[in-house]
Amino acid sequence: MEAWTLGLVECAVAGGIGLFIGLEREHSDRSDRSDHNEVASDHSEDHLGVRSFAILSLFGWVCALLGDHMPWLPPAGMVVTGGLVLAHYLRVGDKDLGLTTEIAAAATFALGMLVHHRRDLAVAVGLVITLLLLAKPWFRRTIPRLRRIELSATLQLVIVLAVVLPLLPAEARDPWGVLSPRKIGLFIVLIAGISYAGYVLHRLLGASRGVVLAGLVGGLVSSTAVTAAMAQQSRTDPLMLIPGQIATFLANAVMFARVLVVASLINPDVARVLVVPLGLMGAVTLAGAGWKYLALRDADRGAPQDREPAAMANPFALVPALKWGVLLSAVLIASAVAQRHFGDRGLYITAAASGLTDVDAVTLAVSHQSKEGLVAAAVASLAITIAVVTNTLVKGGMALFMGRTGFGRPIALVFALAITVGVGTAVALQLQ
């Protein structure tokens, strides 16, 4: 009975995959015929449709099922399917419409076979194929707008992510045990990747909407990387000065919220102490983003309508990001030396040193220590606050000294105000 049930499920899945792909292909073929001023009904029997694709998928499943006892059957089925598809193309093939339907038919047969061996994978691949087929209008609109440098940058990003990063060793081999090649490589790629994402969003959505997404999404990963990337972009493109400031403010506002979420998941007592000072710091930073957004809107109103953004040499700028990798390595070594020298008694100094590059590690560590009763919640919250303040100071310095003239000063002023408000509130709460 279980075998019958499994067979019926596989049959339904195989038929469903064929139906999904067939529905898209039949609708697309009719639309293409209409675009060519031909009557769709006159060709309804000439082109592969819903029934054909469903039958092909079921045929593939049957070949795979019987192939458990007859190994020759799946290859024979593939030959038969290939011959049918080729014969169909030679009979009714239209050079203007291409080979997409015939290729999709062959893939549908293969997916039907895959259902018998890896049903979940077959469903996933079937959905991806259907989405690719549905995306035809988007590809037609987007590809003519692409520049060669953008294609090259995308290829570089994929190579670094898929080939280079996995080859880097994860363990640290330096005397201090802190310089993990993969961690540093990930940080470098993160900075370059955020620059790339900001460029793409800027091209697709314009400066105002693009930087909002770049800042919000980047802040979920690393506000430091966003600050570094935006400072670099402000140097290469003058029109990215104000949008880069907005992205920096938004990313740092997200950072404050991220710290609160992490602390609350580990030890809610620590989060309750932090919520007011960090919440106020986030509010000040968001106010800075609103201030710069109003400035950007006024600048857009007074700017010529035909202005063009400065051309970027490469959206995936890896060489500038390597400089930040060197800086990160130096800070990690300094942090390790400080921690070894002061030991556990220097929790605040260690938090300040660690906050030079990252606040998540400090938040996780001291929140866990507080949960285990090793340190008081007030001590843990103060250590996290010190790390956040140190990290904010570092990012203010990045914006001030690494960005274009006029980029860093507003960011540094807003960050200074946020630190003053946050630290003042934290001290006031401690004195109560």
Side-chain angles (χ1 to χ4, degrees), residues 293-361:
Y293 181 79
L294 294 177
L296 177 64
R297 191 171 60 179
D298 293 339
D300 287 341
R301 288 174 180 173
Q305 296 298 318
D306 58 346
R307 69 175 184 176
E308 290 290 336
M312 296 178 65
N314 191 341
F316 183 64
L318 192 59
V319 174
L322 289 173
K323 301 176 183 178
W324 293 108
V326 174
L327 177 62
L328 171 66
S329 301
V331 171
L332 285 175
I333 294 173
S335 175
V337 171
Q339 188 169 5
R340 283 188 180 184
H341 182 71
F342 292 101
D344 295 336
R345 292 174 299 177
L347 177 61
Y348 297 147
I349 298 177
T350 302
S354 300
L356 292 173
T357 57
D358 180 62
V359 296
D360 292 329

Side-chain angles (χ1 to χ4, degrees), residues 7-74:
L8 290 175
V9 171
E10 290 182 356
C11 179
V13 171
I17 291 174
L19 287 174
F20 267 104
I21 299 177
L23 282 169
E24 194 286 329
R25 281 293 82 199
E26 183 162 335
H27 182 272
S28 178
D29 282 341
R30 289 177 181 272
S31 300
D32 288 339
R33 289 281 167 191
S34 300
D35 293 340
H36 286 76
N37 297 321
E38 297 182 22
V39 181
S41 59
D42 293 342
H43 302 270
S44 59
E45 298 299 325
D46 289 344
H47 288 270
L48 299 174
V50 178
R51 294 175 299 171
S52 301
F53 278 88
I55 293 172
L56 276 174
S57 183
L58 290 171
F59 178 45
W61 171 71
V62 170
C63 288
L65 180 66
L66 299 179
D68 293 339
H69 305 286
M70 294 179 285
W72 57 267
L73 188 57

Side-chain angles (χ1 to χ4, degrees), residues 55-345:
I55 293 172
L56 276 174
S57 183
L58 290 171
F59 178 45
W61 171 71
V62 170
C63 288
L65 180 66
L66 299 179
D68 293 339
H69 305 286
M70 294 179 285
W72 57 267
L73 188 57
M78 295 177 66
V79 172
V80 171
T81 301
L84 291 173
V85 171
L86 179 61
H88 171 268
Y89 179 75
L90 293 176
R91 185 170 67 90
V92 298
D94 191 331
K95 299 297 187 296
D96 292 333
L97 298 181
L99 278 166
T100 305
T101 299
E102 285 74 20
I103 295 174
T108 302
F109 171 82
L111 287 174
M113 294 180 61
L114 185 60
V115 166
H116 181 61
H117 301 286
R118 289 288 304 274
R119 188 168 68 240
D120 53 347
L121 180 60
V123 172
V125 175
L127 290 174
V128 170
I129 290 176
T130 306
L131 288 174
L132 285 174
L133 295 172
L134 287 169
K136 177 181 178 180
W138 182 84
F139 282 119
R140 282 186 168 179
R141 291 193 307 267
T142 304
I143 290 177
R145 299 169 53 195
L146 289 177
R147 303 167 184 168
R148 190 166 186 82
I149 189 64
E150 294 165 354
L151 295 175
S152 174
T154 303
L155 181 61
Q156 292 175 35
L157 176 61
V158 172
I159 290 175
V160 171
L161 287 174
V163 179
V164 178
L165 271 183
L167 294 177
L168 295 176
E171 64 278 1
R173 299 176 181 176
D174 58 284
W176 304 275
V178 295
L179 298 182
S180 167
R182 186 173 298 175
K183 179 179 179 181
I184 296 172
L186 184 61
F187 182 79
I188 292 171
V189 174
L190 189 60
I191 292 177
I194 290 174
S195 296
Y196 173 85
Y199 176 89
V200 172
L201 291 171
H202 188 210
R203 283 264 286 144
L204 294 177
L205 304 176
S208 301
R209 290 177 292 179
V211 294
V212 169
L213 288 177
L216 291 175
V217 175
L220 292 173
V221 183
S222 173
S223 57
T224 305
V226 173
T227 304
M230 293 302 110
Q232 181 64 35
Q233 285 196 18
S234 72
R235 283 189 171 275
T236 58
D237 186 354
L239 297 181
M240 281 300 296
L241 190 146
I242 298 180
Q245 291 170 334
I246 298 174
T248 301
F249 284 135
L250 289 175
N252 283 275
V254 171
M255 182 268 290
F256 295 125
R258 191 180 73 230
V259 170
L260 287 174
V261 170
V262 171
S264 64
L265 291 175
I266 299 176
N267 189 348
D269 293 335
V270 174
R272 277 192 286 270
V273 180
L274 289 172
V275 65
V276 176
L278 291 191
L280 290 175
M281 292 178 75
V284 172
T285 310
L286 277 178
W291 166 40
K292 284 300 172 179
Y293 181 79
L294 294 177
L296 177 64
R297 191 171 60 179
D298 293 339
D300 287 341
R301 288 174 180 173
Q305 296 298 318
D306 58 346
R307 69 175 184 176
E308 290 290 336
M312 296 178 65
N314 191 341
F316 183 64
L318 192 59
V319 174
L322 289 173
K323 301 176 183 178
W324 293 108
V326 174
L327 177 62
L328 171 66
S329 301
V331 171
L332 285 175
I333 294 173
S335 175
V337 171
Q339 188 169 5
R340 283 188 180 184
H341 182 71
F342 292 101
D344 295 336
R345 292 174 299 177

